[in-house]
Amino acid sequence: MTLADTKPQALDFECETGNYHTFCPISCVAWLYQKIEDSFFLVIGTKTCGYFLQNAMGVMIFAEPRYAMAELEEGDISAQLNDYEELKRLCLQIKRDRNPSVIVWIGTCTTEIIKTDLEGLAPRLEAEIDIPIVVARANGLDYAFTQGEDTVLAAMAHRCPDKAPVLEAEKKERNAISTLLNFGKHKDDVATADSEYHDHPPLVLFGSLPDPVVTQLTLELKRHGIKVSGWLPSKRFTELPVLEEGYYVSGVNPFLSRTATTLMRRRKCKLIGAPFPIGPDGTRAWIAKICSVFGVEPQGLEEREAQIWQGLEDYIQLIRGKSVFFMGDNLLEVSLARFLIRCGMTCPEIGIPYMDKRYQAAELQLLEQTCSEMGVPLPRIVEKPDNYNQIQRIKDLNVDLVITGMAHANPLEARGISTKWSVEFTFAQIHGFTNARDILELVTRPLRRNHSLKDLGWDKLVQEAASV
Amino acid sequence: MKLAYWMYAGPAHIGTLRIASSFKRVHGIMHAPLGDDYFNVMRSMLERERDFTPVTASIVDRHVLARGSQEKVVDNITRKDGEEHPDLIVLTPTCTSSILQEDLENFVERASMTTQSDVLLADVNHYRVNELQAADRTLDQIVQFYLEKAKAKGELPEGKTAKPSVNIIGTTTLGFHNHHDCTELKRLMADLGIEVNEVIPDGASVHNLKRLPQAWFNLVPYREIGGMTARYLEDAFAMATVDIAPMGVVETARCIRRIQQVLNAQGADVNYEDFIDHQTRHVSQAAWFSRSIDCQNLTGKKAVVFGDNTHAAAMTKILAREMGIHVVWAGTYCKYDADWFQEQVSEYCDEVIITDDHTVIGDAIARVEPSAIFGTQMERHVGKRLDIPCGVIAAPIHIQNFPIGYKPFLGYEGTNQVADLVYNSFTLGMEDHLLEIFGGHDTKDVITKGISADSDLAWTADGLAELNKIPGFVRGKVKRNTEKFARDRGFTAINVEVLYAAKESVGA
Ligand code: SF4
């Protein structure tokens, strides 16, 4: 690669005021309680937290979710009530009504400020009521949006069994995937099925993804003879994967740096640092990196990537040459920008709540490489952005598409600026080869809408468009 | 601590922000952690607001926790003053600032020395008041601030307007059908020959607040917001208050008669009886509806009502008094104002329920099995589960409760809307019931067969399991596409890998 030799200028990192809009990290209960089917999430906070969840979860709230607020009252704040007794009362009620396999306590800003010792209370109560209690401090003082999942998974990592049951590994069928893959096969077939895999050290993937995506990525690695021994999290708390010292782990999402650190430091696992499997380019790089760590030669990987790109061409035509601006709120920004630049877009700015340059190193490198190969300028990466300043820049740059939160989407649209609501990327299926088209479906939607409405002449719908 | 899944009224700061962002050129600055500016999402989504919601946060993070907000709050206020030039900045405490116990009052004082805009600290305590009480309080606080300021400067206009005039107090952003109600009230006032002096807070400018005392009286349509302001104006400027929500035919007439009384006491000499009679008989269809055969069929049918004070009380009276419906129980979540509710509805229903626990309400609905429910979005979902239709009459509400079309609940057009809502809820239930009696829609089986008929391909267990994970409404399409793909490629069985290969190839 000749371009790389010319040393492209390095990525430019900036940090602004942190005055930006994002979801509170407690929102992670919305998708995690669905993912971990035998869990119950108890958010220990105030009406503010409850109000946010109630509104952000939308109709999910009516489906008797396995989540509740432990709403702190004035007596809890002034320590007139005993935290332990109060939590015990609520947890017993949860045990009686729902009988979960685990109760996850989500610490909030209030428990931080009044210094409730959740980590100290949990083991005592756990012993007393006989249900595991996992504590995650996913509050708005420290974290943004998807980082909530990171704090929960980091806490769960401590609960993974540390020894595979001796000789009984197959019979146990710990994880849902092997169960699925072996569905309907006899025990003997399962043994032979293992020979489809290369002989490599156990690999555990981390990050919560919808089950179909778990299946897709697992099959994707299987094509290259790589066996996924387990996922953190799995479908049930009782099926958390075994993590022995020396196991390999790899993250599927860019916001999981604490989990990665915990797996490396506390569980002595080896982290495979790779770009994230978002977009066909990311997916290929992710698989290639895993293969290379295990000394496996990937089979037909490039052809597969090329084939996926071909299938995207009709959507790519809509965005090629256009510009995209990420205001930043969910930490998926770098991966998405890298994919969209590969699709032919330009990207002046990637806003992001928090940038872990070590955990995202491979992704950042792929971003630089992509920019240089596509011949476009490198984006500036703005950590802790300032939404007010960003809106001035959006206007100056005259961008074609802004990826942003709902607080700004309608006001920008009213000023003739196309937007895509960023939160959809966290709930849609965007990982792996199979779902690359779904990302573009989202990204192109406002542009397709513009096309349908283009002759109507009412793209600016505020009176003083100047006063942003 | 209490276990809670759902709340009817939001936290205090939401109330303050609803007031602040209802005014023009008033900016709310929340003293809050990252993530508590969810108010902006709600306003932008539910109200489909074209403008940026004038609310920002002065972020409380680890740093602030360790060392206090120090210059941060002051800087944020000054910065916003320079950027947006608002008339007023309202510093809004949250649950977090309630326990940090920083001297926010002091920050406000310091900031206001350098800002062009006025600066106020909202006087609300998260642990003492809810959204509605906080909104009531904040509106009062802003009005008092500007009236006292004007008085001190000698800028208060003298006397009343020449013609009878009114202040409409309490229509806010994110209020249930408030915009439509406000239009309807202005129309009603115009019909009565009353000038609208000021409408606050929605769309108002703080500069005009000093004109409030020029009105002949104040109309407070909602029980929850505006009462405190009206009482202040009564005490300080001897202004009369009309606080009867004109919702329903009888209550609208009562409200107008009260206005008549108030105006005549100030020498207006008006008589609205002919107007009331004409509107009742010919403009509102609700009086006629209550005589019609449709409504006769509703006689004695069972209903339950739950919501905020204003809407639940008015609805209960409409159902019982104007439509002959049997209201088994009526309830409110405004616990702090329960006596008022009791007094308003007790003669129109068998039982009164005061609670903010949605499970109590859910059980109470299941217990009486009404033919229709009138409640909030939560009761609508209880209704769905129990197969009972529900008309939504109060917040908490969803985006579908912010209709684009004109749908007031107040005034004479409001009576028509309410009649439709009631009638549709009951007939919906009846139609469903009839369908069931006569065997239901018998087309279900045929449709399902259509999808899987003439399939010559076998689905493996894993393929089928994966197919079943695909949402119902697209499953048929995915199945057809996959089978076509398999047939084209000569596969005889479809497993999970074929399924996803097909998805990639057709891009669907
Ligand atoms: S930011 Fe803090 S107070 Fe606000 S919702 Fe999140 S955890 Fe609760």
Side-chain angles (χ1 to χ4, degrees):
Chain A
M1 207 168 31
T2 46
L3 272 172
D5 296 335
T6 60
K7 276 248 175 207
Q9 103 243 45
L11 280 165
D12 173 21
F13 293 93
E14 285 171 41
C15 190
E16 271 187 306
T17 61
N19 226 315
Y20 64 102
H21 163 75
T22 182
F23 275 12
C24 171
I26 61 173
S27 53
C28 68
V29 311
W31 65 87
L32 287 176
Y33 91 76
Q34 297 198 350
K35 173 72 195 179
I36 309 171
E37 293 171 358
D38 53 354
S39 62
F40 191 99
F41 285 78
L42 183 68
V43 181
I44 305 164
T46 62
K47 253 191 192 327
T48 306
C49 316
Y51 192 70
F52 162 65
L53 274 177
Q54 169 173 325
N55 287 294
M57 284 217 236
V59 290
M60 274 193 271
I61 201 84
F62 299 112
E64 301 221 11
R66 278 171 286 102
Y67 118 86
M69 289 295 307
E71 193 184 313
L72 301 165
E73 294 166 297
E74 205 161 10
D76 300 300
I77 306 303
S78 56
Q80 278 161 356
L81 298 169
N82 179 310
D83 295 335
Y84 184 79
E85 290 305 323
E86 291 294 296
L87 284 166
K88 183 175 152 190
R89 188 168 55 80
L90 302 191
C91 288
L92 282 173
Q93 192 181 335
I94 292 165
K95 182 180 175 176
R96 192 185 60 223
D97 297 347
R98 305 294 188 95
N99 195 27
S101 312
V102 61
I103 297 176
V104 183
W105 286 355
I106 303 287
T108 62
C109 300
T110 308
T111 55
E112 286 299 312
I113 298 169
I114 63 175
K115 299 200 167 61
T116 316
D117 180 20
L118 297 177
E119 274 94 347
L121 298 172
R124 272 171 64 201
L125 193 56
E126 174 168 329
E128 201 177 331
I129 69 169
D130 198 28
I131 292 184
I133 296 174
V134 171
V135 180
R137 302 203 212 165
N139 60 67
L141 295 169
D142 299 302
Y143 305 109
F145 196 8
T146 49
Q147 288 180 291
E149 173 180 324
D150 193 24
T151 62
V152 173
L153 295 190
M156 289 239 170
H158 294 281
R159 301 298 183 117
C160 293
D162 55 5
K163 270 275 172 291
V166 199
L167 295 176
E168 300 273 313
E170 273 90 14
K171 272 197 210 152
K172 268 290 200 191
E173 285 179 353
R174 271 204 166 274
N175 75 61
I177 296 312
S178 66
T179 317
L180 181 66
L181 293 177
N182 297 331
F183 187 85
K185 293 182 187 169
H186 295 296
K187 284 269 156 52
D188 309 340
D189 299 338
V190 175
T192 35
D194 271 355
S195 67
E196 292 169 18
Y197 295 109
H198 293 284
D199 186 21
H200 63 81
L203 169 68
V204 171
L205 301 179
F206 58 95
S208 166
L209 293 178
D211 293 338
V213 184
V214 167
T215 311
Q216 289 157 11
L217 290 181
T218 308
L219 288 171
E220 221 49 84
L221 289 171
K222 185 187 166 207
R223 282 169 182 247
H224 307 286
I226 301 213
K227 181 173 178 169
V228 178
S229 305
W231 281 79
L232 173 68
S234 31
K235 264 168 88 88
R236 304 180 65 82
F237 180 75
T238 49
E239 291 162 354
L240 280 179
V242 173
L243 289 174
E244 286 185 47
E245 185 168 341
Y247 273 27
Y248 281 81
V249 292
S250 181
V252 295
N253 266 324
F255 44 77
L256 298 171
S257 48
R258 278 170 68 92
T259 310
T261 312
T262 309
L263 291 170
M264 286 190 296
R265 301 226 176 107
R266 310 297 293 271
R267 306 303 308 251
K268 306 273 183 274
C269 295
K270 293 181 182 147
L271 177 71
I272 302 178
F276 301 99
I278 292 169
D281 48 341
T283 308
R284 190 199 65 180
W286 181 70
I287 295 173
K289 182 66 190 285
I290 293 174
C291 285
S292 83
V293 168
F294 291 145
V296 169
E297 187 63 44
Q299 298 298 318
L301 185 56
E302 271 168 46
E303 293 76 3
R304 181 146 168 74
E305 187 197 353
Q307 191 195 341
I308 297 290
W309 281 116
Q310 235 170 27
L312 303 179
E313 185 52 33
D314 55 338
Y315 272 172
I316 292 179
Q317 274 173 10
L318 297 172
I319 52 173
R320 194 171 278 138
K322 297 214 154 67
S323 58
V324 58
F325 187 109
F326 287 84
M327 285 185 78
D329 67 353
N330 59 17
L331 285 94
L332 294 170
E333 291 87 1
V334 174
S335 308
L336 287 171
R338 176 261 300 150
F339 166 55
L340 292 179
I341 291 169
R342 177 61 74 186
C343 289
M345 295 189 91
T346 56
C347 177
E349 174 163 332
I350 305 176
I352 186 168
Y354 168 74
M355 182 77 237
D356 183 334
K357 287 188 199 158
R358 278 177 61 196
Y359 177 63
Q360 293 226 43
E363 184 61 85
L364 288 169
Q365 205 196 338
L366 184 58
L367 172 68
E368 281 187 71
Q369 185 190 329
T370 303
C371 288
S372 97
E373 285 174 17
M374 300 301 291
V376 300
L378 287 166
R380 59 203 285 245
I381 297 185
V382 180
E383 210 181 337
K384 292 181 179 291
D386 184 291
N387 281 168
Y388 183 87
N389 295 344
Q390 282 183 313
I391 286 165
Q392 312 305 317
R393 295 199 288 271
I394 286 168
K395 292 186 64 203
D396 293 346
L397 292 164
N398 201 6
V399 289
D400 296 307
L401 179 68
V402 178
I403 304 212
T404 181
M406 206 41 136
H408 298 109
N410 271 339
L412 286 170
E413 289 284 352
R415 284 158 181 78
I417 298 166
S418 294
T419 61
K420 181 80 220 116
W421 186 32
S422 54
V423 174
E424 283 191 66
F425 292 100
T426 55
F427 292 110
Q429 306 192 351
I430 61 167
H431 291 74
F433 287 127
T434 316
N435 298 308
R437 198 176 170 84
D438 296 52
I439 307 178
L440 291 186
E441 163 73 29
L442 291 178
V443 171
T444 59
R445 195 178 296 156
L447 304 170
R448 285 179 284 132
R449 186 269 329 265
N450 291 354
H451 186 74
S452 334
L453 309 186
K454 71 177 181 317
D455 298 326
L456 296 175
W458 59 54
D459 54 341
K460 290 207 176 67
L461 292 154
V462 279
Q463 251 143 21
E464 324 110 295
S467 68
V468 174
Chain B
M1 266 180 228
K2 69 172 194 230
L3 208 53
Y5 299 85
W6 170 267
M7 67 188 80
Y8 286 104
H13 70 265
I14 299 288
T16 295
L17 295 179
R18 275 176 59 187
I19 297 299
S21 61
S22 292
F23 279 105
K24 281 208 195 87
R25 293 188 308 279
V26 172
H27 199 100
I29 295 187
M30 308 168 66
H31 187 237
L34 189 70
D36 278 358
D37 64 348
Y38 191 72
F39 176 79
N40 297 29
V41 176
M42 293 189 55
R43 187 154 180 277
S44 173
M45 258 172 86
L46 299 179
E47 299 260 26
R48 293 180 204 87
E49 234 332 302
R50 300 177 199 212
D51 279 313
F52 293 94
T53 297
V55 171
T56 44
S58 176
I59 306 271
V60 177
D61 55 15
R62 271 290 147 197
H63 208 70
V64 168
L65 223 52
R67 311 183 33 213
S69 294
Q70 300 195 352
E71 298 305 308
K72 203 169 177 180
V73 174
V74 178
D75 286 350
N76 278 316
I77 294 174
T78 328
R79 177 182 164 186
K80 208 33 80 180
D81 180 55
E83 283 168 357
E84 310 261 359
H85 313 294
D87 296 330
L88 168 69
I89 292 176
V90 179
L91 182 60
T92 309
T94 59
C95 61
T96 305
S97 41
S98 280
I99 42 177
L100 281 179
Q101 296 189 324
E102 287 192 273
D103 191 357
L104 295 180
E105 193 65 66
N106 173 31
F107 295 156
V108 162
E109 249 160 59
R110 274 171 49 207
S112 53
M113 291 193 294
T114 53
T115 52
Q116 296 293 306
S117 57
D118 298 313
V119 190
L120 275 180
L121 171 65
D123 175 23
V124 295
N125 180 324
H126 174 91
Y127 292 95
R128 304 278 161 87
V129 295
N130 70 15
E131 167 186 357
L132 299 169
Q133 294 163 288
D136 198 20
R137 173 79 195 103
T138 303
L139 181 58
D140 179 40
Q141 200 187 345
I142 294 176
V143 167
Q144 286 202 32
F145 176 81
Y146 279 100
L147 284 180
E148 261 142 47
K149 185 170 155 178
K151 201 193 287 172
K153 285 191 176 171
E155 287 175 354
L156 271 186
E158 293 281 317
K160 300 283 175 195
T161 55
K163 283 172 73 185
S165 64
V166 61
N167 298 317
I168 299 174
I169 301 181
T171 54
T172 67
T173 189
L174 288 173
F176 182 70
H177 291 245
N178 273 200
H179 293 307
H180 304 308
D181 284 350
C182 188
T183 308
E184 186 63 20
L185 288 177
K186 283 185 190 162
R187 200 184 270 179
L188 179 63
M189 292 305 125
D191 287 348
L192 296 175
I194 298 171
E195 279 172 5
V196 175
N197 186 52
E198 287 294 319
V199 177
I200 59 166
D202 210 14
S205 154
V206 291
H207 294 313
N208 292 349
L209 290 175
K210 60 172 176 283
R211 300 185 51 232
L212 283 172
Q214 289 185 292
W216 290 35
F217 71 104
N218 295 312
L219 175 62
V220 183
Y222 308 112
R223 175 74 189 166
E224 291 76 15
I225 300 175
M228 283 180 84
T229 308
R231 273 193 298 284
Y232 161 73
L233 292 170
E234 229 171 270
D235 293 346
F237 300 93
M239 294 181 75
T241 305
V242 176
D243 58 0
I244 300 163
M247 182 171 156
V249 178
V250 180
E251 290 297 285
T252 303
R254 198 159 76 89
C255 176
I256 296 173
R257 290 198 177 103
R258 175 90 183 109
I259 293 175
Q260 175 180 307
Q261 207 181 13
V262 158
L263 294 182
N264 286 343
Q266 297 173 60
D269 190 24
V270 290
N271 186 337
Y272 294 136
E273 289 305 329
D274 288 348
F275 172 79
I276 295 173
D277 188 66
H278 178 74
Q279 292 284 324
T280 306
R281 286 173 199 275
H282 304 293
V283 177
S284 162
Q285 297 295 318
W288 158 233
F289 172 73
S290 61
R291 297 273 339 159
S292 72
I293 300 301
D294 292 340
C295 192
Q296 200 183 91
N297 284 337
L298 301 182
T299 304
K301 285 214 173 297
K302 285 198 286 184
V304 298
V305 181
F306 190 73
D308 59 8
N309 269 356
T310 305
H311 294 91
M315 199 65 196
T316 305
K317 292 180 193 170
I318 293 172
L319 291 172
R321 192 163 58 183
E322 299 178 18
M323 296 180 179
I325 288 161
H326 177 194
V327 181
V328 186
W329 57 257
T332 179
Y333 54 80
C334 299
K335 282 162 77 176
Y336 62 93
D337 194 18
D339 293 346
W340 181 85
F341 188 75
Q342 286 274 7
E343 180 201 310
Q344 293 289 311
V345 303
S346 37
E347 59 176 302
Y348 300 105
C349 58
D350 304 348
E351 187 190 346
V352 177
I353 301 183
I354 311 286
T355 183
D356 54 6
D357 181 341
H358 75 95
T359 58
V360 171
I361 291 304
D363 292 345
I365 293 172
R367 169 164 55 83
V368 304
E369 289 186 43
S371 306
I373 307 166
F374 299 93
T376 72
Q377 277 292 337
M378 189 40 127
E379 285 66 51
R380 192 171 76 84
H381 284 267
V382 173
K384 261 189 179 168
R385 225 177 294 151
L386 300 175
D387 254 330
I388 303 171
C390 176
V392 173
I393 57 151
I397 37 182
H398 282 169
I399 191 142
Q400 67 263 38
N401 304 114
F402 288 85
I404 297 170
Y406 186 53
K407 291 208 163 56
F409 271 64
L410 302 186
Y412 285 108
E413 179 54 27
T415 63
N416 294 338
Q417 298 292 336
V418 172
D420 273 345
L421 182 77
V422 173
Y423 183 64
N424 289 342
S425 304
F426 277 106
T427 47
L428 200 80
M430 264 195 304
E431 262 176 44
D432 269 1
H433 190 58
L434 285 175
L435 270 172
E436 227 159 72
I437 293 176
F438 294 112
H441 303 272
D442 59 354
T443 49
K444 281 181 201 149
D445 289 343
V446 182
I447 291 173
T448 348
K449 264 185 206 137
I451 292 170
S452 58
D454 74 17
S455 170
D456 47 334
L457 289 149
W459 284 74
T460 63
D462 63 342
L464 212 52
E466 204 64 18
L467 181 68
N468 283 331
K469 286 182 198 157
I470 292 164
F473 60 97
V474 287
R475 198 182 298 143
K477 180 178 165 218
V478 171
K479 186 164 189 261
R480 279 193 300 278
N481 286 345
T482 311
E483 293 184 347
K484 179 170 183 303
F485 171 86
R487 223 170 279 127
D488 291 350
R489 304 263 189 312
F491 292 113
T492 51
I494 302 176
N495 61 11
V496 58
E497 288 170 62
V498 177
L499 174 72
Y500 287 125
K503 183 184 181 211
E504 289 158 21
S505 91
V506 296

